[in-house]
Amino acid sequence: MKAIAIDGPVGVGKSTTARLVAKKLGMAHIDTGAMYRAVALYQIENELDMHDADSLEKSLAQIEIEIKNVSGEQKIFLNKRDVTEKIRTQEVSEGASVVAPNPRVREKLVAAQREMAAAGGVVMDGRDIGSHVLPDAGLKIYLDAPTEVRARRRLLDIEAAGKSASFEQVLAETITRDDRDKNRKHNPLVQAPDALCIDTSIFSCPDETADKIIKIFLDIN
Ligand code: DC
């Protein structure tokens, strides 16, 4: 079965939607953002500079990242250690956004992503999946929503995790991360020409977005 590629900006609900689509269609979910987060976590834990290209290149030689589906849930392992929870902090989010533009980091992670997709039957989400990683995906979806809507959703997630932040702070971070994703030199976030754009702000929850994607997928298969 051909892959489903789901791309879009920060806070649009890609990973939750992709997980639901994969679950309902019995496919494997690969959240590629988690891989960039794992690289950032390695730099943080080893007190290495996120911005230093030489340091990142050395780290890449030491890093092994694996994604496994355990009871339908994605687990991510950094050098054999389960870091699924550890990569969800604000510090790692910020770090991932800094390491993601590095071409060596992208080269290594994109190669691993293509290898994982080779077996078929995957729903892969990220920023460059339809445009670069899997140009032959069977279905390409670009999820979008206005910046304020995405910032509001991220704030709710932060609060649900028992933490606090101001809307202005989350909005500013969303704008900065969008800017890094869209304006980087290597594989920036763009809608692939053959991707279908869905504005998720018209849906009240990721389940509705997932159902829409599943309907499109079943119609063309
Ligand atoms: O989706 P996320 O917030 O977990 O992604 C973490 C970072 O990785 C984010 O700054 C964008 C980057 N990323 C990327 O450049 N390419 C991808 N395919 C996935 C994520």
Side-chain angles (χ1 to χ4, degrees):
M1 198 189 299
K2 280 206 163 187
I4 300 179
I6 302 182
D7 291 297
V10 59
V12 78
K14 291 180 301 293
S15 293
T16 312
T17 304
R19 181 165 47 79
L20 290 167
V21 171
K23 205 169 181 178
K24 290 183 186 182
L25 290 174
M27 295 166 83
H29 172 216
I30 300 169
D31 162 11
T32 60
M35 301 171 78
Y36 293 88
R37 286 170 180 267
V39 173
L41 180 67
Y42 184 90
Q43 293 298 97
I44 293 168
E45 290 188 333
N46 292 284
E47 297 179 9
L48 298 168
D49 188 350
M50 298 285 176
H51 296 86
D52 181 346
D54 289 339
S55 159
L56 276 171
E57 190 154 1
K58 279 192 199 125
S59 296
L60 287 174
Q62 308 296 322
I63 290 176
E64 186 202 14
I65 295 171
E66 288 166 289
I67 287 186
K68 294 182 189 164
N69 268 270
V70 179
S71 317
E73 295 293 325
Q74 173 179 290
K75 298 272 178 204
I76 179 145
F77 296 82
L78 173 60
N79 293 337
K80 310 278 181 219
R81 185 167 53 106
D82 184 347
V83 294
T84 310
E85 303 297 326
K86 274 196 172 278
I87 57 164
R88 295 293 155 197
T89 64
Q90 274 295 99
E91 191 187 9
V92 174
S93 298
E94 172 59 24
S97 174
V98 174
V99 302
N102 180 285
R104 297 284 93 74
V105 171
R106 300 205 72 80
E107 215 169 64
K108 174 163 171 142
L109 299 190
V110 167
Q113 289 154 15
R114 287 184 176 149
E115 211 168 291
M116 284 188 269
V122 300
V123 181
M124 189 174 275
D125 77 86
R127 304 292 192 286
D128 57 344
I129 309 305
S131 60
H132 179 72
V133 180
L134 304 177
D136 298 327
L139 175 63
K140 297 181 186 178
I141 300 289
Y142 186 87
L143 297 181
D144 211 353
T147 319
E148 285 73 16
V149 172
R150 292 185 283 117
R152 184 73 59 201
R153 285 182 187 158
R154 287 188 60 219
L155 181 61
L156 289 175
D157 284 348
I158 291 168
E159 288 171 350
K163 303 197 177 97
S164 68
S166 71
F167 175 71
E168 289 68 28
Q169 189 187 343
V170 178
L171 181 64
E173 276 169 19
T174 306
I175 292 169
T176 305
R177 290 178 59 192
D178 274 355
D179 182 56
R180 285 193 195 130
D181 283 341
K182 290 180 178 170
N183 297 314
R184 67 170 170 241
K185 194 168 159 206
H186 304 280
N187 319 350
L189 169 67
V190 282
Q191 182 182 339
D194 51 349
L196 211 83
C197 183
I198 299 176
D199 182 347
T200 68
S201 57
I202 61 164
F203 298 119
S204 57
C205 63
D207 266 293
E208 290 181 15
T209 316
D211 287 344
K212 166 109 183 151
I213 296 171
I214 290 167
K215 186 173 179 324
I216 298 166
F217 179 77
L218 295 176
D219 280 350
I220 59 170
N221 280 281

